[in-house]
Amino acid sequence: MFGMTYLIYKVIAVAIAALFIFALLDISRRPAHAFEGVTFSKRIWLMIAIFGTVIFGLEVLNIYLNMGRLLELALIFAAIYYVGPIRDRLGPIDRGGW
């Protein structure tokens, strides 16, 4: 029914969507003041993560927006950059406590 290329493309799309969902959840759990020492504010990182989640979530569902591959590549780079060095600079999540 579907070729191997289609299957590989879907697995990659699901992995990228999962990366964006992870980044979105991580960003939303951190306080805004934690982003003061990094490149962008919490609001900008949230917009990037939401936009990427929508774009790649729709691709998983076979709904393709003609956004251009360069924009998708930039979104993937931004998600990897957040999960890598930015997340390390932010440190552990401050959960508050007693």
Side-chain angles (χ1 to χ4, degrees):
M1 183 171 172
F2 297 112
M4 190 62 154
T5 306
Y6 177 81
L7 180 64
I8 291 171
Y9 180 75
K10 284 299 163 189
V11 168
I12 291 171
V14 168
I16 294 170
L19 176 70
F20 275 105
I21 291 170
F22 173 76
L24 179 64
L25 293 175
D26 189 69
I27 293 166
S28 63
R29 291 175 56 199
R30 294 183 184 269
H33 66 82
F35 289 86
E36 291 173 359
V38 296
T39 54
F40 298 122
S41 66
K42 179 178 180 174
R43 180 178 293 168
I44 295 196
W45 282 115
L46 269 174
M47 288 189 298
I48 291 170
I50 290 170
F51 190 61
T53 303
V54 168
I55 295 296
F56 287 99
L58 289 175
E59 282 194 16
V60 169
L61 299 174
N62 290 333
I63 302 170
Y64 300 102
L65 301 176
N66 192 8
M67 300 300 289
R69 296 293 177 209
L70 187 60
L71 178 62
E72 290 178 359
L73 188 63
L75 285 170
I76 293 169
F77 178 75
I80 292 171
Y81 184 65
Y82 173 78
V83 171
I86 297 296
R87 191 164 178 260
D88 286 342
R89 278 191 222 150
L90 293 174
I93 297 174
D94 183 24
R95 299 177 192 267
W98 296 74

